[in-house]
Amino acid sequence: MSSARRGGATFPQAAHVELRNTQLRRNLGHATRTIRAKRAAVVDELDNWQQLREAGAAIKRDVMANLDTYLVEFERAATDAGATVHWAPDADAANDLVAGIVAGHGEHEVVKVKSLTTDEIGLNDALAARGVDALETDFAELILQLDGDWSSHILVPAIHRNRSEIRDLLRRTIGPADLSDDPAALAEAARIHLRERFLRARIGISGANFAIAETGTLVVLESEGNGRMCTTLPEVLISVVGIEKLLPRFEHLAVFMQLLPRSSTGERMNPYTSLWTGVTPGDGPGEMHVVLLDNGRSDVLRDPDGREALHCIRCSACLNVCPVYERTGGHAYGSIYPGPIGAILTPQLEGIGAAASLPYASSLCGACYEVCPVKIDIPRVLVHLRGLTPKRGAERRAMRTLAWLFADAGRYRRAQRLARVLPARVAGAGPMRAWTAGRDLPAVAPQSFREWWHERRP
Amino acid sequence: MSDARDVLLGRVRAALTDRPQPAAAVLLPTPPAPADPVALFAERAGEYRAAVHRVGLTGVAALAAEICAAHGARRLAVPQDLPQAWRPHGVETTADATVSALDRVDGVLTGCAAAIAETGTIVLDGGPGQGIRALTLVPDLHICVVPAELVCASVSEAFQRVEPSVRRRRAPLTLISGPSATSDIELSRVEGVHGPRRLEIVIAGQLS
Ligand code: SF4
């Protein structure tokens, strides 16, 4: 699916196309700058942020080390609570399960909460092929669905669209013909369009941000209230959950509820979080299904040097700080998971051969590691994956990527800073071994002449 | 189906042949302890554009009536067990929590299970004075009474407080921080998409 999304193009080829889109770069620059500043402010406010990151990382390490145990524990707890737990080794199995449940109720329409996992498995297309209309209810997802477009950012999927583009689209599709481009008016158009569908929907579909093994609880974080609508009002709720989303105990959730909103939207807390534990008689759906999805995750788990990628809680902080992402946008990565996390997750989920250029879509500057709320050492995993790529072509592409990245002053400055951290991190490791084995790396000055000059200039 | 289960679990077990040892014990960080959690809660809830009021223990009903008047709300949905002392005079109330009924009222008045000072969040667990989830979702105005003693300093403290209801009766939880919002258009924040567009928080307790 990944290279299909890039139309068979490698990352550098797709990136060159996206780089010509100045509107995209303006929108992205604005978005990533804004979210970066908000995140920094609310993270700085917490004295125990580093402790929280440590705890988050430790919990996730424990989850992965004992994943089989926690999966079985979750199954038992959720089943005891009245949910039906299904197991899906791959995307097709998951889609068949969901489609089967929908067909069993004779329904042709479902309402959906934004879910990367269901995007990953192509659930909407699979349902459409069986005559079921899956309505995306997150505003940005609705915009993309109406336009046949796809997400470019984990958190704000339609970030590559500006308000006049959205106004034109809504005028053409759901909105009144005289709709203005005021964001409040645009949101109101979506509210009116979706409200009646929420109230009549019989089946809701969601993902989950977390699944708690000991209690069988699922957790969804959101902002708009569409998640609450989809998980509360329908009679049947189907949740597709990646097996890496587990947390061992209920108390662990408090750690992630501090890490995720601050890292993601830069808020102390997102407007709405829903937790449900099976069926609650008289309150919410009377029939509850959980589809536990593998789809390549156990392959990632197999690699001791790569399995860290499964710790990701999809906050998107690493996208917002990435100098490569900021320039190319999400589409160039050709995957549901763009940016630094996509560069380490996609090649592992889909097989390194399917996305061999992605581990090179980075300058290894380390900014992603600094912000990651669960301390995934993305640069280390990138270097590891580079060691696994089919060599010659990948190396050639890497050089071309570096050439355009560093072809202007800003890129060059960053390259110099990078050069200082590079030897420590990667010399002698992975694919760089061939480069460094027979060469002595010259020591890099702690400060470049440019920086020295910049500091001393009156 | 049990085949798929075996396949999936088999793959996971095969992937873990090295049985990686996780860090011995997970140390959960100590939460902050603000000097005045109630004041902090009021401030932070306000920053998320909820309207925040503070009132003495006996003033809830009168204040709720004022809020209704300010919003032109004549009919309120309420949970069946809402304390009598909180019911506003001169406002019609109904305990009908069917979706079609909720779609026709002007607002809803509930209590809560806990509140979180450091994030300005209210927590509902379907316990006393809260009703089912649809109640606080479908109407456009949510007036939430927060007894001051339910305000917790931190996220962890609030989770500890509601954990028993999840364990004992598998209570669904809803965490609410301000009115519903979207930032999907050029990141400009718009309040009120699908959930209540207005959130009025009434903190009830001894006024100093
Ligand atoms: S890798 Fe870390 S920073 Fe990036 S999305 Fe995942 S959790 Fe967030």
Side-chain angles (χ1 to χ4, degrees):
Chain A
M1 179 160 81
S2 168
S3 51
R5 279 177 184 267
R6 286 189 299 268
T10 64
F11 177 80
Q13 289 162 347
H16 277 295
V17 174
E18 299 293 336
L19 279 170
R20 271 181 239 126
N21 184 343
T22 49
Q23 176 70 52
L24 169 82
R25 293 180 67 179
R26 238 197 324 271
N27 291 359
L28 268 178
H30 169 65
T32 51
R33 261 194 313 280
T34 309
I35 307 180
R36 272 205 305 272
K38 283 179 71 185
R39 175 201 166 273
V42 294
V43 163
D44 286 349
E45 185 176 283
L46 290 189
D47 294 335
N48 59 358
W49 183 252
Q50 295 308 330
Q51 273 177 287
L52 283 165
R53 288 177 80 210
E54 290 293 347
I59 293 165
K60 282 293 188 177
R61 264 200 306 278
D62 175 38
V63 169
M64 298 316 152
N66 299 291
L67 191 55
D68 49 345
T69 312
Y70 292 135
L71 282 168
V72 172
E73 194 180 347
F74 175 85
E75 178 191 39
R76 189 173 45 232
T79 308
D80 285 350
T84 307
V85 176
H86 310 264
W87 302 76
D90 55 34
D92 287 343
N95 290 335
D96 288 347
L97 278 164
V98 176
I101 297 165
V102 176
H105 287 274
E107 284 295 307
H108 295 283
E109 186 179 277
V110 298
V111 287
K112 272 192 72 201
V113 195
K114 172 184 170 186
S115 149
L116 288 164
T117 310
T118 59
D119 287 349
E120 176 194 316
I121 61 175
L123 178 62
N124 291 4
D125 289 344
L127 288 175
R130 292 154 162 104
V132 175
D133 200 10
L135 185 68
E136 291 290 352
T137 63
D138 175 77
F139 190 24
E141 295 284 345
L142 173 69
I143 291 167
L144 299 178
Q145 188 175 48
L146 288 171
D147 208 19
D149 194 359
W150 52 282
S151 166
S152 64
H153 190 286
I154 295 178
L155 174 69
V156 271
I159 200 61
H160 55 294
R161 293 306 172 93
N162 65 21
R163 66 180 71 190
S164 53
E165 291 174 302
I166 296 170
R167 177 204 56 204
D168 294 346
L169 170 69
L170 295 192
R171 278 184 179 174
R172 272 204 317 278
T173 49
I174 59 166
D178 60 349
L179 188 63
S180 85
D181 67 358
D182 173 19
L186 299 173
E188 173 77 13
R191 177 183 171 99
I192 293 167
H193 173 68
L194 289 176
R195 186 157 180 97
E196 183 233 341
R197 288 173 172 78
F198 281 133
L199 300 190
R200 73 159 190 243
R202 290 192 57 219
I203 301 185
I205 296 183
S206 82
N209 293 92
F210 304 102
I212 303 171
E214 70 164 344
T215 56
T217 305
L218 295 182
V219 186
V220 165
L221 284 75
E222 49 130 359
S223 295
E224 297 174 7
N226 61 313
R228 293 180 68 194
M229 292 278 181
C230 292
T231 58
T232 310
L233 298 186
E235 294 154 33
V236 180
L237 175 59
I238 309 168
S239 305
V240 182
V241 182
I243 53 176
E244 83 285 15
K245 296 288 171 69
L246 285 170
L247 298 180
R249 295 207 300 281
F250 186 81
E251 64 182 20
H252 293 150
L253 183 61
V255 172
F256 291 92
M257 289 307 297
Q258 294 171 79
L259 288 171
L260 182 49
R262 287 180 200 257
S263 301
S264 179
T265 49
E267 295 168 302
R268 296 186 183 111
M269 193 63 91
N270 50 294
Y272 295 136
T273 300
S274 300
L275 290 81
W276 67 96
T277 306
V279 174
T280 308
D283 184 356
E287 184 179 327
M288 206 73 91
H289 297 269
V290 185
V291 178
L292 294 172
L293 176 76
D294 180 351
N295 203 35
R297 285 160 177 76
S298 56
D299 293 331
V300 186
L301 191 65
R302 177 164 313 165
D303 180 352
D305 292 313
R307 61 166 70 117
E308 249 196 290
L310 294 175
H311 297 188
C312 174
I313 56 174
R314 313 278 188 263
C315 73
S316 74
C318 58
L319 278 60
N320 300 325
V321 297
C322 179
V324 176
Y325 176 85
E326 190 176 46
R327 278 158 188 74
T328 64
H331 286 175
Y333 293 82
S335 158
I336 276 307
Y337 307 111
I341 181 58
I344 61 170
L345 195 56
T346 307
Q348 296 198 81
L349 282 175
E350 299 183 6
I352 194 86
S357 62
L358 282 182
Y360 292 89
S362 163
S363 65
L364 300 177
C365 73
C368 45
Y369 172 61
E370 296 297 318
V371 296
C372 178
V374 288
K375 295 189 75 168
I376 300 174
D377 193 345
I378 296 175
R380 189 193 57 76
V381 181
L382 281 168
V383 171
H384 165 68
L385 293 176
R386 288 180 188 185
L388 304 179
T389 54
K391 270 302 158 342
R392 298 183 52 83
E395 245 164 26
R396 232 182 10 250
R397 284 193 292 277
M399 289 307 130
R400 256 190 275 145
T401 308
L402 288 174
W404 63 252
L405 251 182
F406 300 143
D408 74 18
R411 293 174 199 156
Y412 180 67
R413 254 196 322 278
R414 274 185 294 279
Q416 286 183 316
R417 264 185 263 135
L418 160 71
R420 281 199 294 278
V421 300
L422 195 61
R425 268 200 184 288
V426 298
M432 302 304 279
R433 200 177 299 124
W435 285 65
T436 53
R439 297 176 179 87
D440 271 328
L441 274 179
V444 180
Q447 193 179 33
S448 71
F449 173 75
R450 287 162 149 274
E451 288 166 334
W452 180 88
W453 173 249
H454 197 75
E455 266 181 25
R456 277 158 188 78
R457 212 170 33 180
Chain B
M1 197 179 88
S2 68
D3 272 2
R5 182 181 189 275
D6 292 345
V7 168
L8 204 162
L9 281 173
R11 284 187 194 164
V12 169
R13 288 185 180 126
L16 291 171
T17 42
D18 62 327
R19 272 298 149 185
Q21 283 310 308
V26 174
L27 285 178
L28 297 180
T30 14
D36 184 349
V38 178
L40 184 64
F41 170 68
E43 179 193 317
R44 299 233 156 136
E47 281 173 28
Y48 282 140
R49 308 196 205 171
V52 182
H53 315 263
R54 295 188 67 167
V55 71
L57 287 169
T58 53
V60 174
L63 181 61
E66 268 176 48
I67 294 170
C68 288
H71 287 286
R74 293 206 185 87
R75 296 188 68 232
L76 280 188
V78 294
Q80 215 135 32
D81 60 350
L82 189 81
Q84 282 302 328
W86 293 356
R87 293 174 188 247
H89 304 290
V91 181
E92 188 190 333
T93 58
T94 168
D96 184 350
T98 58
V99 170
S100 56
L102 292 174
D103 198 27
R104 288 193 307 268
V105 296
D106 302 314
V108 56
L109 173 65
T110 71
C112 67
I116 310 174
E118 67 169 334
T119 57
T121 303
I122 53 181
V123 184
L124 306 178
D125 72 354
Q130 299 164 58
I132 64 170
R133 284 172 286 173
L135 198 63
T136 53
L137 175 62
V138 179
D140 207 17
L141 164 71
H142 181 193
I143 306 170
C144 185
V145 181
V146 180
E149 70 272 15
L150 295 185
V151 177
C152 302
S154 64
V155 173
S156 339
E157 194 187 321
F159 270 83
Q160 275 161 26
R161 181 167 308 204
V162 294
E163 189 171 329
S165 41
V166 174
R167 287 184 189 284
R168 282 196 211 121
R169 57 182 172 88
R170 301 194 175 103
L173 301 183
T174 308
L175 278 63
I176 300 174
S177 310
S180 77
T182 182
S183 301
D184 278 343
I185 304 155
E186 298 179 10
L187 290 178
S188 41
R189 187 177 163 103
V190 176
E191 253 99 55
V193 193
H194 304 298
R197 282 184 278 198
R198 286 151 310 169
L199 175 63
E200 300 265 349
I201 295 179
V202 176
I203 305 174
Q206 227 83 60
L207 288 180
S208 44

